[in-house]
């Protein structure tokens, strides 16, 4: 299913696989600002995205990262409209091949067709819009965010998912995520278009709160670890129990991984 909403100069396009035609299993989001389309949702909603964009002016796709819920429409949009894509060099090398997906990923988002993209420069321009590329590789390698300076519009990809994250995937680097949030604070955005179609007005406070929570969590985890507590003991002490998402994602997204990520590196 697909739902589009106009938020100022940005069209928010929420998409997802629906089993009942009323709700999505999990929302993904693409954003259109002038002729720039940021991300393309998942494989299950790709044809709805093509129908939605029919007759609209789109000059280029920018992918924030290679995950299957962000590149699902790329191949069919290239075929239907001849649309080219740009992404971080590392993302370009990850989008052009199939990835081994876990059952939950196939179930929720589907397996996207490989697609081509060109390496992105320092910014992307279309008409009066100029999006600055902000490297934010904490979520995964090659992840970028985009910032429109004049209006303070931030497209944050999957960098910010909520105020108090409690889970992570193995490829996430929580230390880098803290640095990425600091970059957002320095930008002082006026609006943030985030993961899962979340739109946050005046996001400065919530970004700062999220960064402070991450740092406090890091310090608490390190302290308990230095006292000899195991990951399971730290999990119980700080979070009570494992996230319900863990079993649903074949333990690819879990609180245990979140804790382990804080204990890896600095
Ligand atoms: Zn992602």
């Amino acid at each position: 299913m697909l739902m589009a909403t106009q938020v100022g100069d940005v069209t928010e396009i929420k998409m997802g696989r629906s089993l009942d035609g009323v709700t999505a299993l999990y929302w993904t989001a693409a954003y259109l600002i002038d002729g720039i389309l940021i991300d393309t949702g998942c494989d299950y909603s790709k044809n709805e995205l093509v129908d939605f964009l029919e007759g609209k002016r789109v000059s280029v796709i920018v992918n924030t990262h290679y995950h299957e819920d962000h590149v699902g429409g790329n191949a069919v949009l290239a075929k239907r409209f001849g649309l080219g894509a740009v992404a971080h060099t590392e993302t370009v090398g990850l989008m052009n091949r199939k990835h081994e997906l876990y059952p939950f990923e196939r179930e929720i988002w589907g397996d996207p067709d490989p697609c081509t993209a060109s390496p992105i420069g320092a910014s992307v321009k279309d008409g009066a819009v100029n999006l600055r590329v902000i490297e934010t590789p904490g979520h995964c390698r090659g992840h970028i965010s985009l910032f429109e300076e004049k209006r303070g519009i931030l497209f944050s990809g999957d960098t910010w998912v909520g105020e108090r994250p409690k889970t992570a995937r193995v490829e996430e680097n929580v230390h880098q995520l803290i640095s990425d949030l600091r970059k957002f604070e320095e930008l002082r955005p006026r609006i943030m278009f985030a993961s899962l179609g979340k739109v946050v007005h005046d996001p400065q406070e919530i970004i700062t709160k999220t960064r402070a929570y991450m740092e406090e969590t890091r310090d608490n985890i390190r302290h308990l670890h230095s006292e000899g507590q195991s990951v399971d003991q730290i999990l119980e002490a700080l979070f009570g129990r494992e996230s319900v998402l863990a079993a649903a994602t074949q333990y690819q997204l879990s609180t245990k991984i979140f804790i382990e990520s804080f204990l890896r590196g600095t």
Side-chain angles (χ1 to χ4, degrees):
M1 66 187 298
L2 182 149
M3 285 169 51
T5 312
Q6 195 66 30
V7 184
D9 298 330
V10 177
T11 308
E12 177 203 41
I13 310 162
K14 284 174 74 169
M15 294 166 278
R17 183 184 187 194
S18 180
L19 300 178
D20 59 8
V22 180
T23 54
L25 288 177
Y26 197 98
W27 286 113
T28 67
Y31 298 107
L32 183 64
I33 178 163
D34 277 19
I36 303 174
L37 179 68
I38 298 159
D39 288 331
T40 61
C42 67
D43 185 70
Y44 285 117
S45 51
K46 64 185 178 186
N47 292 322
E48 288 169 285
L49 182 60
V50 168
D51 290 347
F52 176 75
L53 294 175
E54 189 76 52
K56 294 186 175 61
R57 189 183 70 80
V58 184
S59 62
V60 67
I61 297 166
V62 183
N63 292 105
T64 57
H65 61 300
Y66 76 98
H67 285 163
E68 62 280 357
D69 48 330
H70 292 258
V71 303
N74 275 56
V76 71
L77 290 172
K79 199 171 165 190
R80 177 70 184 81
F81 302 123
L83 262 179
V86 290
H88 189 280
T89 317
E90 286 198 74
T91 302
V92 170
L94 291 162
M95 288 163 65
N96 62 9
R97 57 187 164 89
K98 283 274 186 191
H99 294 270
E100 202 62 53
L101 297 184
Y102 288 93
F104 80 93
E105 294 171 317
R106 262 198 299 279
E107 169 84 12
I108 296 172
W109 299 301
D111 196 0
D113 296 320
C115 48
T116 56
S118 306
I120 198 165
S123 65
V124 185
K125 292 189 182 85
D126 179 81
V129 175
N130 185 5
L131 299 179
R132 176 150 55 103
V133 174
I134 314 291
E135 296 209 8
T136 45
H139 177 67
C140 69
R141 60 202 153 126
H143 187 289
I144 56 167
S145 302
L146 300 146
F147 187 57
E148 205 280 339
E149 199 107 42
K150 278 187 207 153
R151 287 165 283 181
I153 304 171
L154 175 63
F155 299 96
S156 56
D158 278 353
T159 301
W160 186 87
V161 293
E163 196 175 323
R164 295 174 73 84
K166 293 180 174 58
T167 56
R169 300 183 68 154
V170 170
E171 66 179 328
E172 276 181 285
N173 178 334
V174 287
H175 304 293
Q176 184 61 52
L177 269 177
I178 290 170
S179 304
D180 297 346
L181 291 170
R182 277 199 185 282
K183 285 186 190 176
F184 287 174
E185 286 179 278
E186 285 160 17
L187 295 171
R188 305 195 69 78
R190 291 201 283 277
I191 187 165
M192 174 168 70
F193 291 90
S195 186
L196 321 181
K198 290 179 187 167
V199 182
V200 185
H201 295 268
D202 299 319
Q204 191 71 8
E205 192 182 328
I206 204 164
I207 293 168
T208 299
K209 273 188 183 170
T210 308
R211 194 256 309 148
Y213 156 81
M214 293 283 282
E215 288 178 339
E216 190 189 330
T217 304
R218 175 197 63 198
D219 295 344
N220 288 338
I221 289 171
R222 281 178 175 166
H223 174 69
L224 294 175
H225 185 66
S226 71
E227 288 186 333
Q229 292 208 23
S230 68
V231 169
D232 286 336
Q233 287 170 324
I234 296 170
L235 193 155
E236 200 182 327
L238 296 183
F239 302 96
R241 59 186 171 82
E242 180 56 271
S243 164
V244 291
L245 292 172
T249 60
Q250 290 88 52
Y251 291 88
Q252 296 308 302
L253 181 71
S254 73
T255 304
K256 191 170 180 176
I257 295 171
F258 188 59
I259 295 166
E260 286 167 344
S261 181
F262 279 106
L263 294 173
R264 263 199 312 270
T266 51

